[in-house]
Amino acid sequence: MKKFTTVDDIGNLREAVDEALMIKKDRFAFSDLGRNRTLLMIFFNSSLRTRLSTQKAAINLGMNVIVLDVNQGAWKLETERGVIMDGDKAEHLLEAIPVMACYCDIIGVRSFAGLKDKNEDYEERVIEQFIRYSGKSVFSMEAATRHPLQSFADLITIEEFKTKPRPKVVMTWAPHPRALPQAVPNSFAEWMNRTDYEFVITHPEGYELDPRFVGNARVEYDRDKAFEGADFIYAKNWSAYADPNYGKVLSTDRSWMVDARAMSLTDNAFFMHCLPVRRNMIVSDDVIESERSIVIPEAANREISAQTVLKRLLEGLK
Ligand code: AN0
Ligand code: CP
């Protein structure tokens, strides 16, 4: 594997999950694979899980790791070509990328959507420039439109917890005070659409996602109906995608919070969220603390998805 930014890069999902579960059984089985190889993790945005789990995954594989928080300690980076750089940005990405590439073999990039210019976000300008100008293997640690390491961990988690061959998985929008990207729900939908699960998306009107990600999923505006018989509830907030409201918060309707009443409509579903989560906005205390909440095993699987991806990227190095 040369890059990992979408579900397409991982190939057959059954094989990927089997490989991940094999790694989970013995995460030090490939501890020589990354010897004398360096991973550079570049963060344009905050992170707890991605930062720690990806670093741990690289260590399991014997790699060296360098972490750069672009907004803390590095020069502020201009990302657009043609800009007269007379503002606060001292360095251009077009120099920074090849320089950073000198010091590593594999690059992970976290760069969220700006939520101002839909084209800029959906063209994935930042991570695409890393792919183009670094000459290195690049993977997404959440880019503007997708968070594939998260979706892969989510898939592994569902495979571990499901009790029927074709579980009903429901992704539900939930309220949040600030505008969040569509990357997590886009990506989750993209991965779920590659499985044979029954996949349903529910959200208030106005929160329709990009049809390219929704694919053939059933969209159900009536949340109660969507939750009926669900085996997994996957909660997430996202800002509006459709014009003219791109990147806006249209609703903070608290009735969309996932609470015990909503969960009682399901078939004793497991509760999932990628975290970080705002309690009593997205999900009530009792639901996230319940025995059906699998947010911690889900987060633990971030190490496994990252290790599977890094293993494949290492195998793809010349
Ligand atoms: C980010 C998002 O919604 O994309 C990261 C989630 C993994 N969440 C926040 O910024 C709260
Ligand atoms: N789920 C996730 O990616 O979390 P972080 O933003 O903390 O990395």
Side-chain angles (χ1 to χ4, degrees):
M1 192 160 75
K2 296 280 179 210
K3 74 164 184 85
F4 177 70
T5 60
T6 85
V7 71
D8 294 328
D9 297 315
I10 201 90
N12 181 289
L13 286 193
R14 186 68 258 162
E15 284 169 20
V17 170
D18 288 345
E19 188 174 339
L21 295 174
M22 184 260 294
I23 286 170
K24 192 166 181 173
K25 279 206 189 97
D26 180 5
R27 57 193 84 195
F28 303 108
F30 303 95
S31 57
D32 280 339
L33 189 63
R35 189 145 45 96
N36 295 335
R37 294 292 192 182
T38 300
L39 168 65
L40 172 60
M41 295 167 56
I42 300 166
F43 288 94
F44 288 83
N45 307 93
S46 305
S47 167
L48 186 149
R49 278 144 292 275
T50 304
R51 176 184 302 269
L52 298 179
S53 62
T54 310
Q55 198 161 342
K56 176 64 163 62
I59 293 168
N60 295 347
L61 290 164
M63 298 186 82
N64 302 309
V65 187
I66 310 174
V67 183
L68 178 67
D69 287 291
V70 172
N71 299 319
Q72 283 166 28
W75 303 107
K76 263 197 147 185
L77 291 179
E78 177 57 61
T79 56
E80 287 305 302
R81 202 171 164 278
V83 170
I84 298 169
M85 288 174 58
D86 60 355
D88 60 341
K89 292 173 179 164
E91 179 150 27
H92 203 286
L93 203 54
L94 290 172
E95 282 75 53
I97 291 174
V99 168
M100 294 189 283
C102 297
Y103 314 133
C104 63
D105 302 289
I106 296 177
I107 304 178
V109 181
R110 166 162 286 202
S111 173
F112 288 176
L115 296 178
K116 293 200 166 64
D117 181 335
K118 185 194 271 188
N119 285 338
E120 188 178 321
D121 290 344
Y122 275 70
E123 282 169 14
E124 289 286 6
R125 285 204 196 147
V126 173
I127 196 158
E128 285 300 327
Q129 291 194 75
F130 273 92
I131 291 167
R132 199 154 152 205
Y133 298 115
S134 72
K136 302 289 173 179
S137 297
V138 171
F139 67 98
S140 166
M141 300 196 298
E142 185 171 341
T145 64
R146 293 176 177 88
H147 193 0
L149 284 176
Q150 181 64 50
S151 312
F152 187 13
D154 298 334
L155 175 65
I156 296 165
T157 310
I158 295 171
E159 283 296 304
E160 286 179 319
F161 281 87
K162 74 178 190 187
T163 54
K164 1 180 138 139
R166 284 191 71 236
K168 179 176 178 182
V169 178
V170 179
M171 178 168 79
T172 179
W173 180 92
H176 190 279
R178 290 169 49 186
L180 296 185
Q182 297 104 32
V184 171
N186 282 347
S187 216
F188 188 70
E190 185 171 64
W191 286 64
M192 288 299 109
N193 282 329
R194 291 290 182 94
T195 69
D196 59 1
Y197 305 160
E198 182 185 350
F199 180 50
V200 180
I201 305 174
T202 183
H203 55 70
E205 291 201 27
Y207 279 101
E208 291 75 17
L209 292 164
D210 182 343
R212 287 172 293 183
F213 291 101
V214 175
N216 293 326
R218 187 179 125 213
V219 177
E220 172 59 70
Y221 292 98
D222 181 338
R223 190 186 69 168
D224 283 3
K225 232 188 227 169
F227 273 41
E228 268 169 32
D231 299 297
F232 292 87
I233 296 298
Y234 190 91
K236 184 70 184 88
N237 172 266
W238 61 88
S239 60
Y241 168 76
D243 293 323
N245 294 318
Y246 179 71
K248 294 207 173 97
V249 175
L250 305 179
S251 163
T252 50
D253 181 357
R254 298 280 300 280
S255 72
W256 278 80
M257 179 175 78
V258 179
D259 58 11
R261 190 203 66 83
M263 291 301 285
S264 74
L265 302 169
T266 69
D267 189 7
N268 198 20
F270 290 106
F271 175 81
M272 299 178 72
H273 190 282
C274 65
L275 308 181
V277 74
R278 290 190 186 230
R279 282 178 174 226
N280 304 311
M281 284 292 304
I282 302 268
V283 57
S284 62
D285 286 320
D286 54 344
V287 169
I288 197 166
E289 290 168 4
S290 77
E291 56 170 26
R292 303 304 281 176
S293 167
I294 53 172
V295 296
I296 306 304
E298 182 184 1
N301 277 333
R302 290 294 308 276
E303 177 182 345
I304 306 306
S305 66
Q307 194 172 333
T308 309
V309 167
L310 282 173
K311 174 178 170 284
R312 289 185 175 197
L313 291 172
L314 284 167
E315 288 164 348
L317 293 178
K318 276 175 234 99

